[in-house]
Amino acid sequence: MKAETREVTVSVNGRELTRRTEVRTLLSDFLRHELGFTGTHVGCEHGVCGACTVLVDGVPLRSCLTLAVQVDGSAVETVEGLAPEGELSRMQQAMRDEHGLQCGFCTPGILMSLLAAERDGVSCERACTDVLGGHICRCTGYQGIRAAIRLRWAELEHEAAAPHGEETPA
Ligand code: FES
Ligand code: FES
């Protein structure tokens, strides 16, 4: 029996893309295999590890638990969108400065959740606990990641306190 297919249009990092795909295609597979955004990693495929996290209309979602057809018409943000010109985002730089990664497998998902947390004005403590708690890292012991979060949130605090016009880019 032939699998049912449907056309799906998504804006990925600001670029509108359309592909016909099977209705059972997961968003993670759609992004990776059909659109070429391989920065979204797939670990457990069961919604546990958080590696596959992307933003859909600004909300962090496990792309391994989401069907591509469910996000038809939505704006999707992936890790590739954080450094479109190759220059690291401030959070990426903080991860680098504080040794917040080793193999890097978990990193894209963590960065996307932290981006949403930054935008939502989540406190540093909640970013280090609730937000990071949704992600499994098998390498770092989390200390470097927490140090990177504290570094970035200190920057945000500084920006908030600075006179208008001194903000640093996300
Ligand atoms: S691959 Fe999606 S949560 Fe682990
Ligand atoms: S850095 Fe290897 S899983 Fe997190």
Side-chain angles (χ1 to χ4, degrees):
M1 196 174 80
K2 210 164 172 235
E4 189 186 340
T5 63
R6 208 172 293 171
E7 209 160 81
V8 174
T9 299
V10 283
S11 156
V12 183
N13 304 325
R15 199 169 130 219
E16 192 165 293
L17 298 163
T18 301
R19 295 287 185 283
R20 178 161 284 277
T21 190
E22 294 183 9
V23 294
R24 66 183 174 178
T25 303
L26 296 169
L27 177 57
S28 49
D29 291 337
F30 187 67
L31 288 168
R32 289 176 54 81
H33 304 310
E34 301 195 26
L35 300 180
F37 291 94
T38 53
T40 298
H41 292 164
V42 176
C44 66
E45 294 182 85
H46 286 92
V48 177
C49 73
C52 67
T53 302
V54 296
L55 304 189
V56 176
D57 294 331
V59 177
L61 284 187
R62 307 294 214 217
S63 61
C64 74
L65 295 183
T66 308
L67 296 171
V69 293
Q70 289 178 293
V71 305
D72 184 28
S74 298
V76 177
E77 292 172 82
T78 69
V79 71
E80 285 90 348
L82 296 182
E85 308 298 334
E87 193 177 327
L88 298 181
S89 71
R90 298 299 306 152
M91 189 64 234
Q92 285 174 311
Q93 188 62 51
M95 290 284 262
R96 183 177 177 167
D97 292 346
E98 296 293 345
H99 309 288
L101 65 148
Q102 288 180 30
C103 79
F105 192 85
C106 65
T107 313
I110 291 173
L111 288 169
M112 299 319 290
S113 287
L114 290 173
L115 177 61
E118 257 190 48
R119 288 176 180 166
D120 290 348
V122 165
S123 69
C124 184
E125 184 173 342
R126 274 201 54 219
C128 287
T129 52
D130 297 355
V131 177
L132 190 55
H135 295 268
I136 291 173
C137 176
R138 64 191 169 184
C139 302
T140 63
Y142 301 98
Q143 294 308 315
I145 305 174
R146 288 201 187 93
I149 292 171
R150 284 193 289 270
L151 176 61
R152 176 59 188 146
W153 257 251
E155 285 175 0
L156 289 169
E157 233 174 77
H158 178 75
E159 286 166 15
H164 196 61
E166 287 187 18
E167 297 92 351
T168 57

